[in-house]
Structure formats: C-alpha cells, structure tokens
Amino acid sequence: MATATMTASTTALEPSGPRPKRLTADRVGLYVFLVIAAAFFLLPMYVMIVTSLKPMSEIRLGNIFSLPEAWTIEPWLQAWNSACTGLNCGGIKVGFWNSIRILVPSVIISIFIGALTGYALSLWRARGSNLLFAVLLLGAFLPYQVFIYPLVRIYSSVGIYGTMAGIVVTHTIFGLPLMTLLFRNYYSSLPIELFKAARVDGGGFWAIFFRLMLPMSTPIIIVAVILQVTGIWNDFLFGVVFAGRENLPMTVQLNNIVNSTQGEKLYNVNMAATILTALVPLVVYFVSGRWFVRGIAAGAVKG
Amino acid sequence: MKTRRRMNVATYVALFPAFIVVVFAYLGTMLWTVQISFTESKLLPTFAFSGLRQYERLFATSRWSISLENMVIFGIGLIAVCLVLGFLLAAALDQKIRFENTFRTIFLYPYAMSFIVTGLAWQWILNPTLGLQQYVRNLGWTDFQFDWIIRNDRAIYVVIIAGVWQASGLVMALMLSGLRGIDQELWKAAKIDGIPTWRVYFNIIIPMLRPTIITSVVLLSLAVVRVYDLVLALTGGGPGISTDVPAKFILDYLFGRANIGLATAASSILLVIVLVIITPWLYYEYFRPKRERR
C-alpha cells in the first residue's frame, strides 16, 4: 500500500518532516490501469455517439474514432421518426411508446403484488408459506425457456396471447420472485414491536399493510422501482414472444431496425436508435446512483 | 377466535396471486415442458409417449452440441475474465483513489443497458470493413487483422468480449462492497507484520471474499445459461451457426421450426443444468440451519 501508515498518537502533534510523497511508481501504475480500463468501458459509447452524428459518406471511410467533419443531427431525427423495420417506417418512437405502455402497469402491478406477498410471508403465518417461498425463489433462477411454450398455450386459451395484458402479466410473473424477496427481507428487518403495537391497537391484516407497512416502505420501493424499470425496459425475450406485433417494445424494434436486411445499412441512424433505446435505463442509473448499486446488490439476492 | 380465523383468511387471500403464479406459471409450465419433451410433438403438442426419442435426436443434432459447447466456452471465458477484471478494478478503487466515483460510474454503466444495445455497439466496433480493423489499416498497418466476428472459430470470443464489457462492472460493484466490509485493522496488522500487499490479498482478503465470489459466479452462470439477446444482436448466431447458444436453439425450434418436442427436450436439459448449479447455493443461502450468518 502506498498510503503512509499513521502512528497512533493521542496527543495532537503537528506533523513534522517532509510530506510523504503521494506519487510513487505503484500509484502511477494504478492510475494507468484505471484509465485504460475506463477507456475500454467508454469506447463503445464514444464510437456510437460519434457515429450517430456523422453523415454516411464519412462513415464509409472507416474512421470510427474520428470526430465528424460535418456534424449532423439528421440521423437522430430519422431514428426517432422514420427508421424502418421492413415495411413499417414509423421510427423508434413507436417502440418507445410501446415500452412506456408496457413499463408503467408492469412496474406498478409487480411491485404491489411483490410487496403484498413479502408482507404476508414475513409477518403472518400461513401454512405452506415456506414451500411457496422456496418454489418462488427457485423459479427466479430457472431458464425462461422452460416456461415459455406452455405459457403461450395458456395465454392463447384465455385470449391474452400477443396482447398488452399478456406482456404485463408476464413481467409480473417473472418479477415476482425478486420483488417478494426484496420486500420480505425489508419487512423482517423492521422492529417487530412496531407490528405488535399495531396488532394491539386492533390493526388487521390489510390495515397494517396499507396504513403502516406501505408508507414505511419508501426506501425499498425506490430500489424495487429501479430494478423493475431497468429490467423491464431492457427485456427482449418476453417482448418478442408475448407482446404481439402491435406492442413490440423498444429493444425488439431496435433489433429489427438494425438487423433488417433491406437496403444499405444506415449506421448513423442505427447508432442513434441504439443510444435512444439505452437512454431510459442510463438516466435511471445516473440519477439514482447509489440506489442503483443497492438495487443490484439486492438483486444479487443478498437482501 | 373468530378474528383469528379472519386474519388467516386475509393472509391466504394476500398470498393467492403468488400461489397462482407458483402453481400455474412455474410448476405447471415446468412439468408440461418436461412432459412434452417425452412425446413426438411437432407443431402442436401430442400426448403419445415416445420415451427418450427427442433426447436421442437432440444429441444427434450437431447444432445442439455446438450450442452447448459455445455455452461452455462463453461461460468459462465470461466468468474467469469478469472475476479477475472485476476484482482488479475493485481492489484498485479501494486504494483511496481520486475520482473514485467517476471511475465507478464508468465501469458500471454498461450493466444498466440491455444486451441488445451491448450487442449492437460491439457489432459496430468489430465490423471488419468499417470498424476497428479498418481504422488501424487506415493508420498504415494495411495487413492488420481483427475480423473475429466473421470467423467461425473466433466469433464466440467476440461474444465473451461484449459480455465482459457488460457484466464486469457488476462484479466490481459486488467485490468493492465486499472489500469495504473488511476491517481496516486487518490491513494495519498485516502492515506491522511486514507482509507484502499481494500476499495479504491472496492469503487473507480473497478467502474472506468467498461469499461475494460465490454470489458473482452464480449470477454470471445464470446469465450464461440465459444468454440469448446478446448473441442475437451481436452475431445473430453466425457466422453459420458458430455462435449459437442453447437459449437461441430452443427459441428457433419452438417458433421458427415448429419442433416443440425437440425444443422442450432442450429446455429440460437446461433445467437440469441450472438445478444442479443452483440448488446447493440456494440451500446454503436460505435454508441451511442458521448459525450466525458470517
């Protein structure tokens, strides 16, 4: 370690002698490593941004790292308004609004049911609740391919296959384990006296949930919202299988635009569309900062 | 006693949605999938039991063995590189670095983005005629080659690069919080005993980080088994089928090729793989008779 060791002293002595040198060879090496790593992580974002601001004529030259000579926001407008997936040329905004329409109910419903289940599991006794929780947890880890085909059949038999309801139900189903875990851990970490006091005051199951527990859940709800918003926005598989043609979320539409085989590939438009798709989770990430890290730590099933 | 019963009813009502999900969406579908895999189902499910036919067929399909092989290569590569890189980044950030927040933000941001975005970004950089290779050639090294993305034998490593870019920040964040949880007295003691820093890391810190490492490995393994979007956006499974993965194989046979018998057999194999990885860990984390946790 390069930092100088401190000799413990109880008296407030002024430091004497030359200041310990901060810039040793170790330190320099450390920063070089960090800067190179940072370059690796930033490179794709830089290339995408630069490309999205260039006309196609510059892109064909193959100078992916050079700044645009003639800056243009035309690709961004085109990506948003008129990019094509096959015959449809409504731009990525179609997918954007679909994603929003999927996102809002999915987030609300999945968090509500997760909170309710977590509350019932942590503070009330019901027969078989341990088993329920165990299967739920296991479900969180199984590959989705195991569930997909039967779910398609079940959805078609009740008439929600390929509809907005279908995709919202799907996000609720597969968000439930993590949400339950999150709230279960949170509620069992609260002082039990609180719950007992509410019982003594005559609070019933629902009264305690709505008037005591939910209002106290703000910190964990924030984490849950971050996890669900980024998770659902970034979903591709469920969107492509369950949402139906009319409701394809932004990630699916993006992939269709970029990997469609017709005509010349408009790389600048594609890159603009890609950045637009990444924007919502990135904003969540930058705004929420430490909460995001807390969220993924919780998502790592550590409580 | 009457109120007590009403309470009970409320609890069961509250748990009803979760119960429905567990019974129908998880258990029911799982059993159904396994059941179909033992039939001759093609476009529609049939119920004629046909034993292990689909499994024999599955393992005679070269596309499946290539998928499995790719999953193993991708898994080993991703987990190894992410653990090493994630640890190095976390250890470096733990040295009272300037701009620590900035660096941390940079390392983790790819994790916020979808695999589709990650795949498309790297597809663009690694495009041999327009991306990195062409750039270096323009600089004067005219025979520079970096065309792994279009080479059968190398394309899977490109998937690893993109995966590492996306996921190593996560490992960094987990490891960093692990490192921050370690008592600083330990470092002072090691210092006084004159133990070199690298030995402290190897002999003391890394063993102490074991729970974090296990968690990281489990999370990464799940991503490996599920990997689908990334491959689809980055290579589309190509060139040919050289970067195909089981998850993509299953989706193609379910919806593209209408061979649900084969697809569900493949799903069942994945199911078994995950159960083998996950059950010991879940037991260890949640259902082990609890002594003091850590």
Side-chain angles (χ1 to χ4, degrees), chain A residues 149, chain B residues 40-45 54 57 249-263:
Chain A
Y149 182 74
Chain B
E40 284 296 310
S41 305
K42 285 278 186 197
L43 178 62
L44 293 169
Q54 298 288 6
R57 202 179 292 162
F249 177 97
I250 294 169
L251 262 283
D252 285 355
Y253 277 85
L254 270 187
F255 298 109
R257 297 175 167 232
N259 196 333
I260 58 171
L262 203 62

Side-chain angles (χ1 to χ4, degrees), chain B residues 50-64:
Chain B
S50 72
L52 293 171
R53 274 287 307 282
Q54 298 288 6
Y55 291 88
E56 285 164 17
R57 202 179 292 162
L58 183 68
F59 282 94
T61 310
S62 65
R63 192 177 156 189
W64 174 249

Side-chain angles (χ1 to χ4, degrees), chain A residues 27 41 140-141 146 234 301, chain B residues 12 33 96 109 112 222 226 286:
Chain A
R27 271 331 259 177
F41 283 97
F141 292 101
V146 178
N234 287 338
V301 199
Chain B
Y12 287 114
T33 293
K96 303 193 177 61
Y109 87 93
L222 291 169
R226 281 181 185 166
Y286 291 96

Side-chain angles (χ1 to χ4, degrees), chain A residues 87-115:
Chain A
L87 294 175
N88 289 324
C89 293
I92 196 85
K93 67 170 188 289
V94 179
F96 177 85
W97 292 116
N98 283 343
S99 278
I100 296 276
R101 280 203 299 272
I102 294 171
L103 188 70
V104 173
S106 302
V107 169
I108 295 172
I109 296 174
S110 64
I111 291 179
F112 179 77
I113 297 185

Side-chain angles (χ1 to χ4, degrees), chain A residues 19-69:
Chain A
R19 241 186 119 160
K21 267 241 260 330
R22 302 276 301 177
L23 219 62
T24 59
D26 287 14
R27 271 331 259 177
V28 174
L30 200 60
Y31 280 105
V32 168
F33 169 65
L34 283 172
V35 168
I36 291 174
F40 167 70
F41 283 97
L42 286 175
L43 183 84
M45 193 40 100
Y46 168 78
V47 171
M48 288 200 302
I49 293 174
V50 168
T51 305
S52 72
L53 294 166
K54 282 178 193 172
M56 275 308 289
S57 56
E58 281 182 42
I59 291 172
R60 289 191 203 99
L61 301 175
N63 291 325
I64 51 166
F65 298 114
S66 55
L67 290 170
E69 280 163 28

